[in-house]
């Protein structure tokens, strides 16, 4: 499948700080998804994006579908300790039914 | 309403053995996809089942096979296990191709020794 480059690989921040992470692809995607995975659990969908330029919020989370359709970013505002986990971007190119995932961004939040 | 249920949660097998993993989709979901997640990596697509047929396959060898039953539940079989098959195997179910409803189970942790 297509390679997704996700950055940064890890982040260590203080509670209350804002966080930004992004994902780029060498191919065009028609759907971008952001997931959070806690230890021992499966990924949980945070935000789904379906249109280039789309900006969508879910509480303190905001994600955007890049205009080129080859990138997306996720922002978390006013981080709290329960934001700790691994965040994955995933994309689908509409040429099939598979989701292609990035390698994840590990987020640690200190009180 | 139960979500996606996978069994077993953990499994240890010896190289060369065969393993079967099971998945019960979320109620109302008719499509099941399987992913392999190695330690420190994102999930990788193995295949998807819809109407009891394999609809798409990722870049995995024929040792990986699957099945979907009339009640939409699914099995993943891996033959001739290799050490490199050690991973978290995730099942995701969805109502058709709606990404909003694409729900993952907690996975089966397979260790091959």
């Amino acid at each position: 499948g297509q390679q997704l480059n996700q950055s940064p690989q890890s982040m260590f921040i203080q509670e209350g700080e804002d966080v930004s992470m992004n994902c780029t692809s060498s191919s065009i995607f028609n759907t971008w998804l952001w997931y959070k995975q806690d230890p021992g659990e499966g990924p949980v969908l945070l935000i789904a994006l379906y249109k280039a330029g789309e900006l969508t919020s879910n509480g303190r989370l905001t994600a955007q579908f890049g205009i080129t359709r080859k990138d997306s970013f996720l922002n978390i505002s006013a981080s709290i300790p329960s934001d700790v986990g691994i965040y994955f971007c995933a994309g689908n190119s509409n040429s099939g039914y598979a989701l292609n995932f990035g390698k994840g961004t590990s987020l640690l939040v200190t009180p | 309403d139960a979500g996606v249920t996978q069994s077993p949660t953990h499994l240890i097998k010896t190289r060369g053995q065969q393993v079967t993993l099971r998945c019960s989709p979320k109620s109302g979901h008719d499509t099941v996809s399987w992913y392999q997640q190695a330690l420190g990596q994102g999930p990788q697509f193995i295949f998807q089942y819809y109407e009891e047929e394999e609809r798409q396959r990722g870049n995995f060898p024929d040792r990986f096979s699957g099945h979907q039953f009339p009640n939409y539940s699914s099995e993943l079989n891996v033959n001739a296990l290799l050490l490199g098959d050690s991973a978290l195997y995730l099942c995701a179910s969805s109502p058709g191709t709606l990404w909003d409803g694409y729900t993952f189970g907690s996975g089966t942790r397979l260790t091959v020794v």
Side-chain angles (χ1 to χ4, degrees):
Chain A
Q2 295 98 328
Q3 289 289 325
L4 294 189
N5 298 306
Q6 192 171 347
S7 64
Q9 188 175 1
S10 62
M11 301 183 76
F12 188 70
I13 64 170
Q14 280 198 314
E15 185 177 359
E17 289 184 0
D18 296 344
V19 170
S20 184
M21 59 191 78
N22 66 73
C23 201
T24 59
S25 168
S26 56
S27 306
I28 288 174
F29 282 145
N30 292 311
T31 302
W32 281 97
L33 305 168
W34 284 92
Y35 285 89
K36 179 174 183 268
Q37 186 173 28
D38 292 326
E41 299 294 326
V44 174
L45 181 65
L46 299 173
I47 293 180
L49 302 160
Y50 297 102
K51 217 161 67 166
E54 180 181 356
L55 186 71
T56 298
S57 293
N58 178 8
R60 294 178 295 105
L61 278 61
T62 302
Q64 184 157 31
F65 192 140
I67 293 290
T68 65
R69 291 161 65 194
K70 291 185 177 181
D71 63 334
S72 177
F73 73 74
L74 175 71
N75 286 340
I76 305 173
S77 62
S79 58
I80 59 178
S82 62
D83 290 334
V84 167
I86 302 178
Y87 291 79
F88 289 98
C89 61
N92 173 263
S93 63
N94 270 18
S95 64
Y97 302 99
L99 280 181
N100 298 283
F101 281 81
K103 291 188 174 182
T105 293
S106 176
L107 179 63
L108 292 174
V109 180
T110 58
Chain B
D1 174 29
V4 179
T5 305
Q6 291 189 243
S7 63
T9 54
H10 295 84
L11 201 52
I12 299 176
K13 288 286 190 177
T14 304
R15 268 182 302 176
Q17 284 189 317
Q18 179 263 343
V19 69
T20 298
L21 311 181
R22 295 176 175 81
C23 173
S24 291
K26 187 174 179 179
S27 177
H29 289 189
D30 58 3
T31 304
V32 173
S33 304
W34 287 92
Y35 289 78
Q36 180 195 65
Q37 186 177 21
L39 207 59
Q41 302 293 317
Q44 279 202 293
F45 177 78
I46 303 175
F47 41 53
Q48 184 182 87
Y49 276 84
Y50 174 69
E51 292 189 342
E52 302 179 49
E53 296 285 332
E54 182 183 290
R55 182 154 69 173
Q56 185 180 350
R57 188 180 186 89
N59 189 24
F60 279 82
D62 292 345
R63 299 186 298 109
F64 289 76
S65 63
H67 190 79
Q68 185 179 34
F69 299 93
N71 66 353
Y72 308 121
S73 67
S74 177
E75 288 181 349
L76 164 65
N77 301 294
V78 187
N79 293 324
L81 284 167
L82 304 173
L83 296 179
D85 294 332
S86 296
L88 181 68
Y89 287 85
L90 294 164
C91 169
S93 72
S94 57
T97 54
L98 295 175
W99 296 110
D100 284 25
Y102 207 80
T103 306
F104 283 87
S106 296
T108 294
R109 172 68 64 186
L110 172 65
T111 302
V112 182
V113 298

